[in-house]
Each structure stands twice: as C-alpha cells, then as structure tokens.
Amino acid sequence: VSVIKVNHIQKGYGKTKVLDEVSLSVEKGQIYGFIGPSGAGKTTLIKLIAGMELVDDGEVYVLGSKMPSLPVLQDVGYMAQSDALYLQLTGKENLAFFASLFKLTKKQQKDRISYAAGLVNLTDDLDKKVAAYSGGMKRRLSLAISLLQDPQILILDEPTVGIDPELRLSIWNELLRLKKEEGKTIIVTTHVMDEAERCDFIALIRNGSILANGTPSELKDLYH
Ligand code: ADP
Ligand code: ADP
C-alpha cells in the first residue's frame, strides 16, 4: 500500500529551480531514504511531502489526501534539520509545550512524554535546561518531539547530524523498531552511506531530480 505519492512535482524559489519533475511513491512500513549532496533539494522535497511548502506544479498525496491536508498533518511527525527548541526551558518543559499542541488528555500527554523521552534515551536528562544539552542531546530531543503525536508517518531531515557513532546506531535501531513493531513509515534524508544501507528503498537526488531509485544493494555502485 502506498502511503505517500508524489506526482511530477516542480518547485522553485524565484528563478531558481529546486525540484524538477520529481515522482515517487513510499509504501507503508518502509524506511525510505533521500540520499544526495548538500543543495540537491532533499530538504525542499521533504517539506513538500510534510505539507510545509507548496508545490508549483504536480501533486503530493499523503495517506490518500492531497497535501497540505489539516487532518493528515496530525499523522505526520516532522523533524527539521536544525533544532527549534526553547533553550531556557528544560527538556521536559519543551516536550510538555509541544505535547500541549496535540489533541491529547493530560494523562496522554504525560505518557507520551515519558515514552518519547525513553525512546531517545533522554529520561535522565529531562530536568536539565536545553541550553546545557550537547548537540546530540538536542537532536534526540527534537526526535522525541516528532514522536509525541505518535504519527503514522515520520519525516526526518538528517536526524543523526552531529551525533556520535554509538548514539547514531541506537537511533537507527530505534527507527528500525518503530518500523517493525509499530508499522511506521519513515522518510529520512542523509548523506551518510552506511545510513543509506539501512533503508528499504532509496532515491538518489541530484540537482533537483531523482537520478536513480531502488534498494540500497541495487544502487550500491551509484552512491559509493
Ligand atoms: P518508473 O521508472 O517506471 O517511473 P519508478 O522509478 O517509480 O518507476 O520505480 C522503479 C521501480 O522501483 C519499479 O519497479 C517500482 O515498482 C519500484 N519502486 C518504486 N518505489 C518503490 C518503493 N517505495 N518500494 C519498493 N519498490 C518501489
Ligand atoms: P538539500 O537539503 O539537499 O541540501 P535544499 O532543499 O535545502 O537541499 O536546497 C536545494 C536548493 O534550493 C539549494 O540551492 C538552496 O539554496 C535552494 N533553496 C532552498 N530553500 C530556499 C529558499 N527558501 N529560497 C531560495 N532558495 C532556496
């Protein structure tokens, strides 16, 4: 079952063409990777899928609805490339603020906060101010925020940037678990090759187009 369908989209800013004729589909429960150099158009593409930007032409469908669709946004967790956190608040206060934005009871909010913090291994640091967090801890807090609404679809822009290898592995194990045990569909951008290999399907993005798509083993020669 396709949960995401992108049909012939075009996107530019002023005279700069950023995406040209991009089409793809993502199956339910896949980890789908966008691989490509900086400036290729990966962030723009995932923002269009997440409903944060508008296409100039073409369509994006998520869970059967044309984006941006307000009800579908509840089911899409998005983690931006740079962290948008309240540095003067603690980790827990950040989570509580974002949890309050969703239609959840107080009890559900509390449960989701402990669940999301546990997933990213931040439980012991929740009472520290985010200003005192390392870069990796901030990335993990951002990831926890994207999980608060328990979305069917997770869209993650370079989720492991600035995170040390050990923790990178633990975040990837977590993504694999979310896919396997909870059937979540995950879109991830990366330029790290060993992360590409953990995806079920990848699209190589160059200059605003999909250069090739396939499984990591099919495309091995192209991205190494
Ligand atoms: P085309 O080259 O005909 O435009 P695509 O590039 O979309 O088609 O797909 C190429 C091949 O990859 C097809 O065999 C298609 O079924 C397969 N494919 C496309 N997207 C996925 C996906 N998300 N998961 C698995 N297979 C896919
Ligand atoms: P990637 O995520 O692969 O690094 P981006 O999608 O961030 O690529 O950027 C693709 C291209 O679009 C770049 O040339 C970038 O400068 C341009 N771009 C992205 N956002 C904007 C914007 N808001 N205004 C103008 N140009 C932009």
Side-chain angles (χ1 to χ4, degrees):
V1 193
S2 277
V3 287
I4 296 169
K5 262 201 151 320
V6 170
N7 296 331
H8 307 287
I9 58 171
Q10 307 272 354
K11 178 70 182 174
Y13 296 105
K15 283 190 175 144
T16 316
K17 198 163 222 176
V18 176
L19 294 173
D20 187 21
E21 269 292 310
V22 172
S23 296
L24 59 93
S25 68
V26 181
E27 302 291 306
K28 181 172 165 47
Q30 272 186 333
I31 299 185
Y32 194 113
F34 292 144
I35 321 299
S38 178
K42 304 181 296 298
T43 297
T44 305
L45 180 53
I46 63 172
K47 279 187 177 165
L48 291 167
I49 295 172
M52 304 185 116
E53 295 251 8
L54 297 176
V55 296
D56 295 338
D57 202 7
E59 299 102 33
V60 174
Y61 290 91
V62 177
L63 299 170
S65 296
K66 192 167 170 175
M67 293 300 274
S69 148
L70 200 49
V72 168
L73 295 184
Q74 287 273 338
D75 250 318
V76 178
Y78 177 80
M79 174 183 172
Q81 192 161 16
S82 46
D83 300 305
L85 300 167
Y86 296 99
L87 296 179
Q88 293 314 312
L89 301 181
T90 65
K92 188 186 262 171
E93 287 165 343
N94 271 270
L95 286 164
F97 171 70
F98 287 104
S100 74
L101 303 179
F102 302 111
K103 290 181 203 141
L104 299 171
T105 63
K106 282 276 174 231
K107 162 101 171 73
Q108 282 173 323
Q109 288 185 28
K110 255 188 103 180
D111 292 348
R112 290 286 177 75
I113 289 169
S114 356
Y115 164 79
L119 286 185
V120 298
N121 211 4
L122 271 182
T123 306
D124 294 339
D125 299 299
L126 282 186
D127 293 325
K128 291 182 186 148
K129 277 195 179 179
V130 173
Y133 277 20
S134 68
M137 288 162 78
K138 288 182 199 153
R139 275 327 261 158
R140 283 186 282 146
L141 183 58
S142 297
L143 181 59
I145 289 168
S146 75
L147 290 165
L148 282 172
Q149 72 210 86
D150 195 22
Q152 285 192 57
I153 292 171
L154 262 178
I155 300 184
L156 310 174
D157 202 355
E158 304 248 14
T160 58
V161 152
I163 293 184
D164 64 69
E166 201 177 316
L167 205 63
R168 218 148 50 90
L169 195 65
S170 91
I171 286 183
W172 267 92
N173 287 337
E174 191 43 51
L175 297 181
L176 291 167
R177 196 196 68 77
L178 286 167
K179 153 202 151 85
K180 221 165 135 185
E181 289 174 24
E182 306 196 23
K184 299 214 186 287
T185 305
I186 302 171
I187 290 186
V188 57
T189 67
T190 184
H191 50 249
V192 182
M193 294 314 162
D194 66 319
E195 292 190 347
E197 271 158 33
R198 291 167 189 271
C199 298
D200 298 303
F201 201 82
I202 58 181
L204 302 183
I205 317 280
R206 293 279 188 289
N207 287 323
S209 298
I210 296 182
L211 181 72
N213 65 8
T215 62
S217 56
E218 283 167 355
L219 299 187
K220 219 172 171 84
D221 297 336
L222 284 172
Y223 69 86
H224 272 280

